Each structure stands twice: as C-alpha cells, then as structure tokens.
Amino acid sequence: MKAVRCVELGGPDKLEVAEVPVPEPGDGEVRLKVAGCGVNFADSLIIQGKYQHKPDLPFTPGMEVAGTITAVGAGVAALEPGQTVIGMTGTGGFAEEVVCPARDVIACPDGLDPVIAASLPVAYGTAHLGLDHRARLQPGETLLVHGASGGVGLAAVEVGKAMGATVIATASSADKLALAGEHGADHLINYTDGPFKDEVKALTDGRGADVIFDPVGGDVFDQSLRCIAWEGRILVVGFASGRIPEAPANLTLVKNMAIMGVFWGAYREKDPAVMTASFATLSDWLLAGTLKPLVSKTYGLDETAQAITDLMERRAKGKIVVTP
Ligand SMILES: NC(=O)c1ccc[n+]([C@@H]2O[C@H](COP(=O)([O-])OP(=O)(O)OC[C@H]3O[C@@H](n4cnc5c(N)ncnc54)[C@H](OP(=O)(O)O)[C@@H]3O)[C@@H](O)[C@H]2O)c1
C-alpha cells in the first residue's frame, strides 16, 4: 500500500510517499481502509520533532481518520470488518490503510460522509472538552475564540454557540472572519488591525470575556490577559503563532481568573470516560444539525506535504482532509 513517510525530521518537503506492507492488527487492534485523514497543526510539529510525542523514524504521520474496518485483531469483540468508524490513530493516518487500537475507535455517526467524519475528533473534541469539561462555559457567558477560522477555532465557535454563549471571534482577514460569522460568531475582530482588548471590553460593557479559547498564543495570549473578565478562564490550547507566552501570576490573583491547559489527546489514556461523554454530546449535536463541520479542501495522498504546507502558511479554513 502507499503511505506518507517521515524519514528525516524537517518541513513537509522532507515527506515521501512510499510503498509499504499493509499493517496487520495485533491484539486489541483493528485495521481501517482510510477514506479520509484530517490534517492538523500538530502534524506540522510532529514531522519536525517539535510535538509532545516523538515517534521513532521512519514513521507515517496522520492522527485522525475515518474509514472501513478491513481486519480485526485478537480480543476485539465489539467491532467487525465492514463497519465505518472514526479512529484516533495518533500517527499512521496518511496511508491507504492504518492500524488503530480498538479502544480509540468510535462509531461514525449514521449517514455522515467519512471525509467529514475524519475532520471531527481533534477539532470538535478539543473544542468541546476544553469549553465544557475544563472551562465550564455557561449559557449567557461571553466566549472569545482566537484563530476562529482554523480547525479547532471554528469548532470552538460552533460549540460555544451550542452551549449558549455569546461568541466573539478573532482572525487575520475579512474572509476568515466572515467564515466565523457564517458558523455562528456574534462579533468579529481582525486581530491584525491592532490591539483587540479595548474592542472586547467595549463588546462586554467593560467586563471582558468570561472564557477565552486560545490556539494561537504569543501576543494574542498577552492581550487576552488584559480583556479576561473577573473569574474568567483562559484556555491554553496551542501556539500556532510560534511563541509560547508567559503570564505574571499576580494577574491571576487580581482578577480571580484561571489559566488552564487543554491537552485533548491525553484523555484517551488518563480519563477516557470524559472523552466518550464528550463524543456522545457532539454526535447528538451533529445529528441534530447544530454543528456544521467544514472541510474546505481535500488532497490526494501524494499532496499531503502540500496540505500540511497550506496549514502552516495560514491558507487552510475550517478543516482540510487527505483522501488516500
Ligand atoms: N491542546 C490540544 O489538545 C490541541 C488540539 C488541537 C489543536 N491544538 C493546537 O491548536 C493550534 C491550532 O491547531 P489547528 O489544527 O486548528 O490549526 P489551523 O487549522 O492551522 O488553525 C490555526 C489558526 O491559527 C492562526 N494563526 C495565527 N498565527 C499563525 C501562524 N503564525 N501560523 C499559522 N497559523 C496561525 C490562523 O488563523 P489566522 O490567520 O486567522 O490568524 C489559523 O487559522 C495548534 O497550535 C495546535 O497544536 C491543540
């Protein structure tokens, strides 16, 4: 079968597409024929050796897939060949077939296009788990979402609206902001026009945002410290800007606010029940039409490097998906 291979750490230009043996599922594993593999910012980090998880070389990147089960390993009772499922693979997804632990496989919501399904777990999982389980976002609160047209950002806009918040979205261009508006954002701010803290305060009668969802970090995080409400919660989701910011501890005291990390993938190991409950809610919202996931572009397996480059160069909107 064909698979994308990371044979040396570096940018997407170092990736190769190679013929490799079809993987056999071991105990507790299933093999999927990949219909789609969602592209994530983390893919750009893992191939450079800059992600938390550093797989041995050579490896195939690709963290989330949807497809059809083609084989099951020993001890897998609940899944069988022919079923369409979503798999949280961590790596291996940019390939024609991939092996995934059965415990990291969930049912594909009925009737959902597998290419859309492949775009869901990381973005919507992180958005919902972050806003609900971590920040305890309440109906009527104000949510500020940074990078609101990106994969996890656009999901956070939709999840925030589904949870009853007023959503302020930031992004770097008018068309990206328009997209956030189409997906439910109530207020739109271009954060490349200058400081956004005064605009956020003006939109919240001087209070600031109750919850800030930040996948960008850097200067955007620094300014968020200046427009968070009393008892507000800043969710540290990622650092797409390239700078990991620091926060003076006294600001947390003065505003009775919390800065909380969200590492969605860790729940697979540490507390899978939280993830299962989150997926159940997301699945209900999907079937009810509350969520409208956007896959703005698909790429062939041979175009995986281009897909990751588009993400790194801020050209992606919503999610992009590789369809082997
Ligand atoms: N903690 C977790 O569990 C978790 C889960 C998923 C993702 N993440 C993190 O969240 C971040 C976003 O991931 P994603 O997959 O949603 O990526 P994405 O689709 O590429 O979205 C990232 C957004 O960040 C903004 N951005 C600002 N400065 C940027 C820069 N210098 N380069 C690229 N983008 C920049 C872009 O919007 P503008 O052009 O509008 O600024 C872009 O839409 C990443 O840091 C990722 O590692 C964390």
Side-chain angles (χ1 to χ4, degrees):
M1 68 163 196
K2 274 183 166 181
V4 172
R5 302 295 279 164
C6 179
V7 291
E8 77 176 285
L9 298 179
D13 55 309
K14 302 271 187 223
L15 294 173
E16 298 173 3
V17 178
E19 281 290 331
V20 298
V22 174
E24 287 305 323
D27 286 4
E29 294 180 332
V30 299
R31 187 176 69 221
L32 310 181
K33 184 171 166 48
V34 178
C37 179
V39 183
N40 287 284
F41 199 87
D43 297 317
S44 74
L45 300 177
I46 205 168
I47 62 173
Q48 298 180 75
K50 293 181 179 171
Y51 191 58
Q52 295 96 311
H53 173 48
K54 295 178 175 48
D56 291 336
L57 294 169
F59 71 94
T60 295
M63 0 189 85
E64 54 179 353
V65 302
T68 311
I69 296 179
T70 53
V72 299
V76 178
L79 296 166
E80 56 185 47
Q83 287 178 322
T84 303
V85 294
I86 295 171
M88 289 160 284
T89 49
T91 54
F94 296 127
E96 289 177 317
E97 302 213 37
V98 62
V99 158
C100 182
R103 61 146 209 222
D104 295 333
V105 165
I106 55 171
C108 183
D110 274 350
L112 189 67
D113 178 345
V115 174
I116 302 282
S119 77
L120 299 177
V122 175
Y124 282 92
T126 304
H128 183 253
L129 202 146
L131 292 174
D132 185 33
H133 183 70
R134 297 290 286 140
R136 310 282 178 195
L137 177 68
Q138 299 300 310
E141 286 193 319
T142 299
L143 167 66
L144 173 60
V145 178
H146 294 309
S149 77
V152 83
L154 198 60
V157 169
E158 288 199 342
V159 168
K161 288 309 295 176
M163 292 177 72
T166 297
V167 175
I168 305 172
T170 64
S172 64
S173 69
D175 58 329
K176 286 184 171 188
L177 287 169
L179 182 66
E182 284 162 26
H183 285 255
D186 301 282
H187 306 285
L188 310 171
I189 301 176
N190 186 328
Y191 54 15
T192 59
D193 282 349
F196 57 79
K197 63 180 170 52
D198 292 340
E199 218 168 325
V200 173
K201 283 197 176 156
L203 288 167
T204 52
D205 295 328
R207 294 182 57 252
D210 299 298
V211 174
I212 301 182
F213 186 92
D214 183 12
V216 176
D219 297 351
V220 165
F221 176 89
D222 294 347
Q223 273 194 65
S224 294
L225 292 172
R226 308 287 166 185
C227 60
I228 183 79
W230 192 80
E231 290 196 331
R233 291 84 75 200
I234 300 182
L235 286 169
V236 178
V237 179
F239 314 103
S241 65
R243 179 168 72 83
I244 297 174
E246 290 179 4
N250 62 321
L251 283 186
T252 64
L253 179 155
V254 173
K255 286 201 169 177
N256 280 286
M257 60 114 148
I259 299 170
M260 42 178 68
V262 190
F263 179 19
W264 172 78
Y267 281 86
R268 278 158 64 189
E269 289 282 340
K270 302 270 187 200
D271 199 346
V274 171
M275 213 178 231
T276 304
S278 173
F279 278 134
T281 302
L282 289 168
S283 184
D284 288 347
W285 285 345
L286 263 172
L287 293 174
T290 308
L291 306 179
K292 296 186 171 46
L294 171 70
V295 172
S296 62
K297 191 167 176 187
T298 59
Y299 299 73
L301 198 60
D302 295 346
E303 299 170 315
T304 303
Q306 185 60 53
I308 297 174
T309 304
D310 283 351
L311 202 86
M312 292 170 77
E313 294 182 355
R314 289 165 100 161
R315 283 190 291 270
K317 289 189 194 147
K319 289 286 293 194
I320 55 176
V321 172
V322 169
T323 55

